[in-house]
Amino acid sequence: SMDYRNKFKKDIIIDHISYRSGAHELDDPMYTQPFMYEHVKAKRRIVEVYSEELREENILTRKGLEKITDKLGEYLEEEFKAAPNFEAPEEWIFSGEWSGVQPGSSMYMPTETGVDVDKLCEIGLASVARPPDFTTHDRLKRFHIKNRTTQCTSGENIDWGTAEALAR
């Protein structure tokens, strides 16, 4: 697009269609966009496409790609483990272009954010309640409603989607 713009001195519009791929267990677009996601399912992951190109063009071997993938995985794992102890350097906070911005006084005030466990359980169960005459998709029943009900009543193994719903 930049080559076109530079050569012809005209702007262009890029009509970009993107899709999500498994953000969490409830993020299943097959319910709302079944036709599109049948096509998405049939597509190969971009990393597979580029890896194949690199191999076909003799830029990297399968072993070389595996080595890069392993090294990246190790790096990400190390960074993940180090994250809880990370402290941003002072110069990152309200400096440069942000030097005129001052933190609000409440930014450093401890605030009680807890909610009673029984109340959270009530909210969680209400989030999957439905009228008796309502027909629920079997997959939704099995993977969402049943799991959330179990999690909220037991208080154990709360998954990301349930925690996110309860936090709202």
Side-chain angles (χ1 to χ4, degrees), residues 39-154:
H39 291 284
V40 169
K41 263 199 224 177
K43 290 196 169 294
R44 291 173 43 220
R45 294 175 48 225
I46 197 75
V47 71
E48 294 166 358
V49 173
Y50 284 128
S51 295
E52 186 176 302
E53 276 186 36
L54 291 170
R55 285 193 311 271
E56 286 174 357
E57 294 175 17
N58 294 318
I59 295 170
L60 280 172
T61 62
R62 184 177 305 277
K63 194 140 187 97
L65 287 164
E66 287 172 7
K67 187 176 178 182
I68 291 171
T69 302
D70 291 346
K71 191 172 181 178
L72 176 61
E74 288 167 13
Y75 169 76
L76 292 174
E77 188 61 35
E78 288 168 14
E79 292 298 308
F80 180 74
K81 287 177 182 173
N85 301 319
F86 176 78
E87 288 190 34
E90 190 64 37
E91 64 269 12
W92 287 12
I93 303 169
F94 299 111
S95 63
E97 291 182 34
W98 299 96
S99 60
V101 177
Q102 297 298 315
S105 59
S106 65
M107 187 170 176
Y108 301 107
M109 291 174 54
T111 305
E112 178 60 45
T113 60
V115 177
D116 179 67
V117 174
D118 290 335
K119 186 58 153 175
L120 284 176
C121 180
E122 181 185 329
I123 292 167
L125 293 173
S127 75
V128 291
R130 60 223 182 275
D133 60 338
F134 186 82
T135 303
T136 305
H137 191 286
D138 285 339
R139 186 168 173 192
L140 197 57
K141 235 189 283 187
R142 278 195 325 265
F143 295 111
H144 175 57
I145 296 172
K146 181 180 174 213
N147 289 349
R148 182 159 297 169
T149 302
T150 301
Q151 292 166 22
C152 290
T153 52
S154 73

